[in-house]
PDB file of all heavy atoms in Angstrom:
ATOM      1  N   LYS A   1    -198.434  97.063  -2.553  1.00  0.00           N
ATOM      2  CA  LYS A   1    -198.927  96.310  -1.401  1.00  0.00           C
ATOM      3  C   LYS A   1    -198.565  97.026  -0.105  1.00  0.00           C
ATOM      4  O   LYS A   1    -199.413  97.188   0.779  1.00  0.00           O
ATOM      5  CB  LYS A   1    -198.341  94.895  -1.408  1.00  0.00           C
ATOM      6  CG  LYS A   1    -198.762  94.069  -0.197  1.00  0.00           C
ATOM      7  CD  LYS A   1    -198.110  92.697  -0.203  1.00  0.00           C
ATOM      8  CE  LYS A   1    -198.531  91.908   1.030  1.00  0.00           C
ATOM      9  NZ  LYS A   1    -197.912  90.569   1.086  1.00  0.00           N
ATOM     10  N   ILE A   2    -197.310  97.476   0.008  1.00  0.00           N
ATOM     11  CA  ILE A   2    -196.862  98.191   1.205  1.00  0.00           C
ATOM     12  C   ILE A   2    -197.612  99.520   1.361  1.00  0.00           C
ATOM     13  O   ILE A   2    -197.923  99.944   2.483  1.00  0.00           O
ATOM     14  CB  ILE A   2    -195.343  98.429   1.140  1.00  0.00           C
ATOM     15  CG1 ILE A   2    -194.598  97.093   1.237  1.00  0.00           C
ATOM     16  CG2 ILE A   2    -194.878  99.379   2.237  1.00  0.00           C
ATOM     17  CD1 ILE A   2    -193.104  97.196   1.033  1.00  0.00           C
ATOM     18  N   LYS A   3    -197.923 100.160   0.243  1.00  0.00           N
ATOM     19  CA  LYS A   3    -198.642 101.439   0.274  1.00  0.00           C
ATOM     20  C   LYS A   3    -200.117 101.274   0.645  1.00  0.00           C
ATOM     21  O   LYS A   3    -200.825 102.263   0.836  1.00  0.00           O
ATOM     22  CB  LYS A   3    -198.549 102.117  -1.087  1.00  0.00           C
ATOM     23  CG  LYS A   3    -197.147 102.561  -1.474  1.00  0.00           C
ATOM     24  CD  LYS A   3    -197.143 103.112  -2.896  1.00  0.00           C
ATOM     25  CE  LYS A   3    -195.732 103.467  -3.352  1.00  0.00           C
ATOM     26  NZ  LYS A   3    -195.715 103.910  -4.775  1.00  0.00           N
ATOM     27  N   GLY A   4    -200.580 100.034   0.703  1.00  0.00           N
ATOM     28  CA  GLY A   4    -201.975  99.799   1.067  1.00  0.00           C
ATOM     29  C   GLY A   4    -202.932  99.799  -0.101  1.00  0.00           C
ATOM     30  O   GLY A   4    -204.161  99.821   0.095  1.00  0.00           O
ATOM     31  N   VAL A   5    -202.409  99.772  -1.314  1.00  0.00           N
ATOM     32  CA  VAL A   5    -203.273  99.679  -2.498  1.00  0.00           C
ATOM     33  C   VAL A   5    -203.950  98.314  -2.504  1.00  0.00           C
ATOM     34  O   VAL A   5    -203.293  97.299  -2.242  1.00  0.00           O
ATOM     35  CB  VAL A   5    -202.440  99.864  -3.791  1.00  0.00           C
ATOM     36  CG1 VAL A   5    -203.320  99.681  -5.023  1.00  0.00           C
ATOM     37  CG2 VAL A   5    -201.783 101.236  -3.805  1.00  0.00           C
ATOM     38  N   PRO A   6    -205.254  98.244  -2.770  1.00  0.00           N
ATOM     39  CA  PRO A   6    -205.947  96.952  -2.757  1.00  0.00           C
ATOM     40  C   PRO A   6    -205.323  95.960  -3.737  1.00  0.00           C
ATOM     41  O   PRO A   6    -204.867  96.337  -4.814  1.00  0.00           O
ATOM     42  CB  PRO A   6    -207.377  97.312  -3.177  1.00  0.00           C
ATOM     43  CG  PRO A   6    -207.525  98.753  -2.804  1.00  0.00           C
ATOM     44  CD  PRO A   6    -206.176  99.366  -3.026  1.00  0.00           C
ATOM     45  N   GLN A   7    -205.306  94.714  -3.324  1.00  0.00           N
ATOM     46  CA  GLN A   7    -204.764  93.659  -4.183  1.00  0.00           C
ATOM     47  C   GLN A   7    -205.625  93.501  -5.432  1.00  0.00           C
ATOM     48  O   GLN A   7    -206.859  93.532  -5.353  1.00  0.00           O
ATOM     49  CB  GLN A   7    -204.739  92.340  -3.408  1.00  0.00           C
ATOM     50  CG  GLN A   7    -204.173  91.172  -4.188  1.00  0.00           C
ATOM     51  CD  GLN A   7    -204.183  89.890  -3.373  1.00  0.00           C
ATOM     52  OE1 GLN A   7    -204.368  89.919  -2.164  1.00  0.00           O
ATOM     53  NE2 GLN A   7    -203.984  88.771  -4.038  1.00  0.00           N
ATOM     54  N   PRO A   8    -205.015  93.316  -6.596  1.00  0.00           N
ATOM     55  CA  PRO A   8    -205.812  93.094  -7.806  1.00  0.00           C
ATOM     56  C   PRO A   8    -206.498  91.735  -7.754  1.00  0.00           C
ATOM     57  O   PRO A   8    -206.092  90.857  -6.978  1.00  0.00           O
ATOM     58  CB  PRO A   8    -204.760  93.141  -8.927  1.00  0.00           C
ATOM     59  CG  PRO A   8    -203.479  92.775  -8.261  1.00  0.00           C
ATOM     60  CD  PRO A   8    -203.566  93.319  -6.875  1.00  0.00           C
ATOM     61  N   PRO A   9    -207.534  91.533  -8.561  1.00  0.00           N
ATOM     62  CA  PRO A   9    -208.218  90.231  -8.573  1.00  0.00           C
ATOM     63  C   PRO A   9    -207.245  89.101  -8.886  1.00  0.00           C
ATOM     64  O   PRO A   9    -206.346  89.254  -9.715  1.00  0.00           O
ATOM     65  CB  PRO A   9    -209.255  90.393  -9.689  1.00  0.00           C
ATOM     66  CG  PRO A   9    -209.467  91.869  -9.807  1.00  0.00           C
ATOM     67  CD  PRO A   9    -208.146  92.497  -9.493  1.00  0.00           C
ATOM     68  N   ILE A  10    -207.423  87.967  -8.230  1.00  0.00           N
ATOM     69  CA  ILE A  10    -206.505  86.851  -8.418  1.00  0.00           C
ATOM     70  C   ILE A  10    -206.831  86.034  -9.661  1.00  0.00           C
ATOM     71  O   ILE A  10    -206.011  85.224 -10.102  1.00  0.00           O
ATOM     72  CB  ILE A  10    -206.487  85.933  -7.176  1.00  0.00           C
ATOM     73  CG1 ILE A  10    -207.894  85.384  -6.891  1.00  0.00           C
ATOM     74  CG2 ILE A  10    -205.937  86.674  -5.969  1.00  0.00           C
ATOM     75  CD1 ILE A  10    -207.923  84.364  -5.760  1.00  0.00           C
ATOM     76  N   VAL A  11    -208.016  86.215 -10.212  1.00  0.00           N
ATOM     77  CA  VAL A  11    -208.384  85.590 -11.489  1.00  0.00           C
ATOM     78  C   VAL A  11    -209.171  86.608 -12.308  1.00  0.00           C
ATOM     79  O   VAL A  11    -209.772  87.545 -11.765  1.00  0.00           O
ATOM     80  CB  VAL A  11    -209.232  84.304 -11.307  1.00  0.00           C
ATOM     81  CG1 VAL A  11    -208.423  83.198 -10.673  1.00  0.00           C
ATOM     82  CG2 VAL A  11    -210.485  84.585 -10.492  1.00  0.00           C
ATOM     83  N   LYS A  12    -209.169  86.439 -13.597  1.00  0.00           N
ATOM     84  CA  LYS A  12    -209.866  87.345 -14.498  1.00  0.00           C
ATOM     85  C   LYS A  12    -211.371  87.090 -14.424  1.00  0.00           C
ATOM     86  O   LYS A  12    -211.809  85.944 -14.498  1.00  0.00           O
ATOM     87  CB  LYS A  12    -209.357  87.121 -15.927  1.00  0.00           C
ATOM     88  CG  LYS A  12    -209.888  88.097 -16.953  1.00  0.00           C
ATOM     89  CD  LYS A  12    -209.225  87.831 -18.302  1.00  0.00           C
ATOM     90  CE  LYS A  12    -209.714  88.809 -19.365  1.00  0.00           C
ATOM     91  NZ  LYS A  12    -209.008  88.575 -20.661  1.00  0.00           N
ATOM     92  N   PRO A  13    -212.175  88.128 -14.270  1.00  0.00           N
ATOM     93  CA  PRO A  13    -213.629  87.928 -14.214  1.00  0.00           C
ATOM     94  C   PRO A  13    -214.187  87.486 -15.554  1.00  0.00           C
ATOM     95  O   PRO A  13    -213.524  87.602 -16.594  1.00  0.00           O
ATOM     96  CB  PRO A  13    -214.154  89.310 -13.815  1.00  0.00           C
ATOM     97  CG  PRO A  13    -213.112  90.259 -14.292  1.00  0.00           C
ATOM     98  CD  PRO A  13    -211.794  89.546 -14.161  1.00  0.00           C
ATOM     99  N   PHE A  14    -215.411  86.979 -15.534  1.00  0.00           N
ATOM    100  CA  PHE A  14    -216.052  86.560 -16.777  1.00  0.00           C
ATOM    101  C   PHE A  14    -217.556  86.737 -16.654  1.00  0.00           C
ATOM    102  O   PHE A  14    -218.105  86.837 -15.547  1.00  0.00           O
ATOM    103  CB  PHE A  14    -215.712  85.102 -17.105  1.00  0.00           C
ATOM    104  CG  PHE A  14    -216.217  84.096 -16.086  1.00  0.00           C
ATOM    105  CD1 PHE A  14    -217.430  83.456 -16.240  1.00  0.00           C
ATOM    106  CD2 PHE A  14    -215.456  83.800 -14.951  1.00  0.00           C
ATOM    107  CE1 PHE A  14    -217.887  82.541 -15.308  1.00  0.00           C
ATOM    108  CE2 PHE A  14    -215.900  82.893 -14.009  1.00  0.00           C
ATOM    109  CZ  PHE A  14    -217.122  82.256 -14.187  1.00  0.00           C
ATOM    110  N   ASP A  15    -218.213  86.788 -17.790  1.00  0.00           N
ATOM    111  CA  ASP A  15    -219.659  86.943 -17.847  1.00  0.00           C
ATOM    112  C   ASP A  15    -220.326  85.628 -17.460  1.00  0.00           C
ATOM    113  O   ASP A  15    -220.145  84.603 -18.135  1.00  0.00           O
ATOM    114  CB  ASP A  15    -220.074  87.361 -19.266  1.00  0.00           C
ATOM    115  CG  ASP A  15    -221.567  87.639 -19.387  1.00  0.00           C
ATOM    116  OD1 ASP A  15    -222.309  87.400 -18.410  1.00  0.00           O
ATOM    117  OD2 ASP A  15    -221.995  88.092 -20.468  1.00  0.00           O
ATOM    118  N   GLN A  16    -221.093  85.642 -16.379  1.00  0.00           N
ATOM    119  CA  GLN A  16    -221.746  84.422 -15.892  1.00  0.00           C
ATOM    120  C   GLN A  16    -222.776  83.884 -16.886  1.00  0.00           C
ATOM    121  O   GLN A  16    -223.185  82.723 -16.782  1.00  0.00           O
ATOM    122  CB  GLN A  16    -222.423  84.707 -14.538  1.00  0.00           C
ATOM    123  CG  GLN A  16    -221.477  85.122 -13.434  1.00  0.00           C
ATOM    124  CD  GLN A  16    -220.633  83.979 -12.901  1.00  0.00           C
ATOM    125  OE1 GLN A  16    -220.958  82.814 -13.113  1.00  0.00           O
ATOM    126  NE2 GLN A  16    -219.547  84.298 -12.220  1.00  0.00           N
ATOM    127  N   GLU A  17    -223.185  84.717 -17.831  1.00  0.00           N
ATOM    128  CA  GLU A  17    -224.157  84.280 -18.832  1.00  0.00           C
ATOM    129  C   GLU A  17    -223.486  83.623 -20.036  1.00  0.00           C
ATOM    130  O   GLU A  17    -224.164  83.151 -20.947  1.00  0.00           O
ATOM    131  CB  GLU A  17    -224.994  85.473 -19.300  1.00  0.00           C
ATOM    132  CG  GLU A  17    -225.789  86.169 -18.200  1.00  0.00           C
ATOM    133  CD  GLU A  17    -226.752  85.220 -17.514  1.00  0.00           C
ATOM    134  OE1 GLU A  17    -227.440  84.440 -18.214  1.00  0.00           O
ATOM    135  OE2 GLU A  17    -226.805  85.249 -16.263  1.00  0.00           O
ATOM    136  N   SER A  18    -222.166  83.575 -20.049  1.00  0.00           N
ATOM    137  CA  SER A  18    -221.441  82.959 -21.158  1.00  0.00           C
ATOM    138  C   SER A  18    -221.650  81.452 -21.157  1.00  0.00           C
ATOM    139  O   SER A  18    -222.098  80.856 -20.163  1.00  0.00           O
ATOM    140  CB  SER A  18    -219.942  83.260 -21.044  1.00  0.00           C
ATOM    141  OG  SER A  18    -219.701  84.640 -21.072  1.00  0.00           O
ATOM    142  N   LEU A  19    -221.296  80.831 -22.272  1.00  0.00           N
ATOM    143  CA  LEU A  19    -221.366  79.373 -22.350  1.00  0.00           C
ATOM    144  C   LEU A  19    -220.216  78.785 -21.545  1.00  0.00           C
ATOM    145  O   LEU A  19    -219.045  79.002 -21.863  1.00  0.00           O
ATOM    146  CB  LEU A  19    -221.278  78.918 -23.812  1.00  0.00           C
ATOM    147  CG  LEU A  19    -221.213  77.401 -24.034  1.00  0.00           C
ATOM    148  CD1 LEU A  19    -222.438  76.701 -23.455  1.00  0.00           C
ATOM    149  CD2 LEU A  19    -221.056  77.084 -25.517  1.00  0.00           C
ATOM    150  N   ILE A  20    -220.558  78.062 -20.480  1.00  0.00           N
ATOM    151  CA  ILE A  20    -219.567  77.456 -19.591  1.00  0.00           C
ATOM    152  C   ILE A  20    -219.654  75.939 -19.752  1.00  0.00           C
ATOM    153  O   ILE A  20    -220.743  75.359 -19.684  1.00  0.00           O
ATOM    154  CB  ILE A  20    -219.807  77.833 -18.117  1.00  0.00           C
ATOM    155  CG1 ILE A  20    -219.916  79.357 -17.956  1.00  0.00           C
ATOM    156  CG2 ILE A  20    -218.703  77.255 -17.247  1.00  0.00           C
ATOM    157  CD1 ILE A  20    -218.657  80.106 -18.303  1.00  0.00           C
ATOM    158  N   ILE A  21    -218.521  75.311 -19.959  1.00  0.00           N
ATOM    159  CA  ILE A  21    -218.483  73.874 -20.208  1.00  0.00           C
ATOM    160  C   ILE A  21    -217.858  73.180 -19.005  1.00  0.00           C
ATOM    161  O   ILE A  21    -216.740  73.506 -18.583  1.00  0.00           O
ATOM    162  CB  ILE A  21    -217.662  73.570 -21.478  1.00  0.00           C
ATOM    163  CG1 ILE A  21    -218.324  74.248 -22.685  1.00  0.00           C
ATOM    164  CG2 ILE A  21    -217.514  72.074 -21.700  1.00  0.00           C
ATOM    165  CD1 ILE A  21    -217.450  74.296 -23.903  1.00  0.00           C
ATOM    166  N   ASP A  22    -218.589  72.225 -18.445  1.00  0.00           N
ATOM    167  CA  ASP A  22    -218.071  71.450 -17.325  1.00  0.00           C
ATOM    168  C   ASP A  22    -216.945  70.535 -17.801  1.00  0.00           C
ATOM    169  O   ASP A  22    -217.046  69.915 -18.869  1.00  0.00           O
ATOM    170  CB  ASP A  22    -219.175  70.601 -16.698  1.00  0.00           C
ATOM    171  CG  ASP A  22    -220.220  71.443 -15.983  1.00  0.00           C
ATOM    172  OD1 ASP A  22    -219.865  72.528 -15.497  1.00  0.00           O
ATOM    173  OD2 ASP A  22    -221.380  71.005 -15.914  1.00  0.00           O
ATOM    174  N   LEU A  23    -215.895  70.468 -17.027  1.00  0.00           N
ATOM    175  CA  LEU A  23    -214.809  69.540 -17.314  1.00  0.00           C
ATOM    176  C   LEU A  23    -214.940  68.310 -16.416  1.00  0.00           C
ATOM    177  O   LEU A  23    -215.397  68.422 -15.271  1.00  0.00           O
ATOM    178  CB  LEU A  23    -213.454  70.213 -17.062  1.00  0.00           C
ATOM    179  CG  LEU A  23    -213.036  71.282 -18.068  1.00  0.00           C
ATOM    180  CD1 LEU A  23    -211.844  72.063 -17.538  1.00  0.00           C
ATOM    181  CD2 LEU A  23    -212.718  70.664 -19.418  1.00  0.00           C
ATOM    182  N   PRO A  24    -214.549  67.148 -16.922  1.00  0.00           N
ATOM    183  CA  PRO A  24    -214.593  65.950 -16.079  1.00  0.00           C
ATOM    184  C   PRO A  24    -213.714  66.115 -14.841  1.00  0.00           C
ATOM    185  O   PRO A  24    -212.700  66.820 -14.869  1.00  0.00           O
ATOM    186  CB  PRO A  24    -214.038  64.849 -16.997  1.00  0.00           C
ATOM    187  CG  PRO A  24    -214.212  65.362 -18.388  1.00  0.00           C
ATOM    188  CD  PRO A  24    -214.076  66.853 -18.290  1.00  0.00           C
ATOM    189  N   THR A  25    -214.124  65.480 -13.772  1.00  0.00           N
ATOM    190  CA  THR A  25    -213.302  65.479 -12.563  1.00  0.00           C
ATOM    191  C   THR A  25    -211.943  64.867 -12.872  1.00  0.00           C
ATOM    192  O   THR A  25    -211.854  63.843 -13.548  1.00  0.00           O
ATOM    193  CB  THR A  25    -213.989  64.671 -11.450  1.00  0.00           C
ATOM    194  OG1 THR A  25    -215.267  65.263 -11.179  1.00  0.00           O
ATOM    195  CG2 THR A  25    -213.151  64.667 -10.181  1.00  0.00           C
ATOM    196  N   VAL A  26    -210.896  65.511 -12.406  1.00  0.00           N
ATOM    197  CA  VAL A  26    -209.547  65.014 -12.672  1.00  0.00           C
ATOM    198  C   VAL A  26    -209.328  63.711 -11.917  1.00  0.00           C
ATOM    199  O   VAL A  26    -209.629  63.605 -10.722  1.00  0.00           O
ATOM    200  CB  VAL A  26    -208.487  66.052 -12.256  1.00  0.00           C
ATOM    201  CG1 VAL A  26    -207.093  65.489 -12.466  1.00  0.00           C
ATOM    202  CG2 VAL A  26    -208.673  67.331 -13.051  1.00  0.00           C
ATOM    203  N   SER A  27    -208.821  62.724 -12.649  1.00  0.00           N
ATOM    204  CA  SER A  27    -208.580  61.418 -12.055  1.00  0.00           C
ATOM    205  C   SER A  27    -207.248  60.879 -12.548  1.00  0.00           C
ATOM    206  O   SER A  27    -206.870  61.071 -13.706  1.00  0.00           O
ATOM    207  CB  SER A  27    -209.699  60.444 -12.443  1.00  0.00           C
ATOM    208  OG  SER A  27    -209.356  59.115 -12.105  1.00  0.00           O
ATOM    209  N   LYS A  28    -206.540  60.182 -11.669  1.00  0.00           N
ATOM    210  CA  LYS A  28    -205.271  59.571 -12.078  1.00  0.00           C
ATOM    211  C   LYS A  28    -205.485  58.412 -13.041  1.00  0.00           C
ATOM    212  O   LYS A  28    -204.520  57.908 -13.633  1.00  0.00           O
ATOM    213  CB  LYS A  28    -204.480  59.122 -10.857  1.00  0.00           C
ATOM    214  CG  LYS A  28    -205.114  57.998 -10.059  1.00  0.00           C
ATOM    215  CD  LYS A  28    -204.227  57.635  -8.863  1.00  0.00           C
ATOM    216  CE  LYS A  28    -204.831  56.497  -8.057  1.00  0.00           C
ATOM    217  NZ  LYS A  28    -203.984  56.135  -6.890  1.00  0.00           N
ATOM    218  N   ASP A  29    -206.739  58.002 -13.216  1.00  0.00           N
ATOM    219  CA  ASP A  29    -207.023  56.920 -14.157  1.00  0.00           C
ATOM    220  C   ASP A  29    -206.662  57.284 -15.588  1.00  0.00           C
ATOM    221  O   ASP A  29    -206.477  56.401 -16.426  1.00  0.00           O
ATOM    222  CB  ASP A  29    -208.509  56.534 -14.094  1.00  0.00           C
ATOM    223  CG  ASP A  29    -208.890  55.909 -12.760  1.00  0.00           C
ATOM    224  OD1 ASP A  29    -207.975  55.425 -12.054  1.00  0.00           O
ATOM    225  OD2 ASP A  29    -210.087  55.913 -12.424  1.00  0.00           O
ATOM    226  N   VAL A  30    -206.567  58.571 -15.873  1.00  0.00           N
ATOM    227  CA  VAL A  30    -206.234  59.014 -17.223  1.00  0.00           C
ATOM    228  C   VAL A  30    -204.754  58.811 -17.528  1.00  0.00           C
ATOM    229  O   VAL A  30    -204.338  58.786 -18.688  1.00  0.00           O
ATOM    230  CB  VAL A  30    -206.630  60.497 -17.406  1.00  0.00           C
ATOM    231  CG1 VAL A  30    -205.650  61.414 -16.693  1.00  0.00           C
ATOM    232  CG2 VAL A  30    -206.718  60.861 -18.871  1.00  0.00           C
ATOM    233  N   VAL A  31    -203.948  58.623 -16.492  1.00  0.00           N
ATOM    234  CA  VAL A  31    -202.494  58.501 -16.651  1.00  0.00           C
ATOM    235  C   VAL A  31    -202.124  57.084 -17.071  1.00  0.00           C
ATOM    236  O   VAL A  31    -202.523  56.111 -16.430  1.00  0.00           O
ATOM    237  CB  VAL A  31    -201.771  58.867 -15.334  1.00  0.00           C
ATOM    238  CG1 VAL A  31    -200.278  58.591 -15.425  1.00  0.00           C
ATOM    239  CG2 VAL A  31    -202.029  60.323 -14.990  1.00  0.00           C
ATOM    240  N   SER A  32    -201.345  56.976 -18.142  1.00  0.00           N
ATOM    241  CA  SER A  32    -200.877  55.670 -18.613  1.00  0.00           C
ATOM    242  C   SER A  32    -199.420  55.405 -18.240  1.00  0.00           C
ATOM    243  O   SER A  32    -198.965  54.262 -18.272  1.00  0.00           O
ATOM    244  CB  SER A  32    -201.042  55.567 -20.134  1.00  0.00           C
ATOM    245  OG  SER A  32    -200.338  56.609 -20.795  1.00  0.00           O
ATOM    246  N   LYS A  33    -198.678  56.448 -17.899  1.00  0.00           N
ATOM    247  CA  LYS A  33    -197.276  56.312 -17.501  1.00  0.00           C
ATOM    248  C   LYS A  33    -197.132  56.940 -16.113  1.00  0.00           C
ATOM    249  O   LYS A  33    -197.059  58.154 -15.974  1.00  0.00           O
ATOM    250  CB  LYS A  33    -196.358  57.005 -18.504  1.00  0.00           C
ATOM    251  CG  LYS A  33    -194.872  56.821 -18.259  1.00  0.00           C
ATOM    252  CD  LYS A  33    -194.051  57.582 -19.289  1.00  0.00           C
ATOM    253  CE  LYS A  33    -194.251  57.020 -20.687  1.00  0.00           C
ATOM    254  NZ  LYS A  33    -193.415  57.725 -21.695  1.00  0.00           N
ATOM    255  N   GLU A  34    -197.099  56.103 -15.084  1.00  0.00           N
ATOM    256  CA  GLU A  34    -197.155  56.599 -13.719  1.00  0.00           C
ATOM    257  C   GLU A  34    -195.794  56.968 -13.137  1.00  0.00           C
ATOM    258  O   GLU A  34    -195.719  57.694 -12.149  1.00  0.00           O
ATOM    259  CB  GLU A  34    -197.830  55.565 -12.821  1.00  0.00           C
ATOM    260  CG  GLU A  34    -199.299  55.330 -13.160  1.00  0.00           C
ATOM    261  CD  GLU A  34    -199.978  54.426 -12.161  1.00  0.00           C
ATOM    262  OE1 GLU A  34    -199.294  53.891 -11.264  1.00  0.00           O
ATOM    263  OE2 GLU A  34    -201.203  54.247 -12.273  1.00  0.00           O
ATOM    264  N   SER A  35    -194.724  56.475 -13.721  1.00  0.00           N
ATOM    265  CA  SER A  35    -193.392  56.730 -13.170  1.00  0.00           C
ATOM    266  C   SER A  35    -192.926  58.143 -13.511  1.00  0.00           C
ATOM    267  O   SER A  35    -192.775  58.485 -14.685  1.00  0.00           O
ATOM    268  CB  SER A  35    -192.393  55.712 -13.720  1.00  0.00           C
ATOM    269  OG  SER A  35    -191.061  56.107 -13.429  1.00  0.00           O
ATOM    270  N   ILE A  36    -192.692  58.965 -12.496  1.00  0.00           N
ATOM    271  CA  ILE A  36    -192.191  60.317 -12.756  1.00  0.00           C
ATOM    272  C   ILE A  36    -190.799  60.249 -13.356  1.00  0.00           C
ATOM    273  O   ILE A  36    -190.423  61.091 -14.187  1.00  0.00           O
ATOM    274  CB  ILE A  36    -192.210  61.166 -11.460  1.00  0.00           C
ATOM    275  CG1 ILE A  36    -191.836  62.627 -11.766  1.00  0.00           C
ATOM    276  CG2 ILE A  36    -191.280  60.594 -10.411  1.00  0.00           C
ATOM    277  CD1 ILE A  36    -192.808  63.335 -12.662  1.00  0.00           C
TER     278      ILE A  36
END
């Protein structure tokens, strides 16, 4: 970083043509035990 080398990608790339599965929106409704 100090030498000025470009930062590596922050996430691994993937093929946009792959099968991508949508995940449900995260909701606290899924939690049954709320006390930390």
Side-chain angles (χ1 to χ4, degrees):
K1 177 183 179 181
I2 293 174
K3 294 175 184 176
V5 176
Q7 181 180 346
I10 59 174
V11 293
K12 186 176 181 177
F14 63 94
D15 184 354
Q16 298 287 342
E17 300 301 316
S18 300
L19 175 59
I20 308 296
I21 299 166
D22 291 331
L23 288 168
T25 301
V26 177
S27 168
K28 66 180 181 180
D29 293 340
V30 75
V31 173
S32 58
K33 185 182 295 182
E34 295 187 354
S35 168
I36 186 64

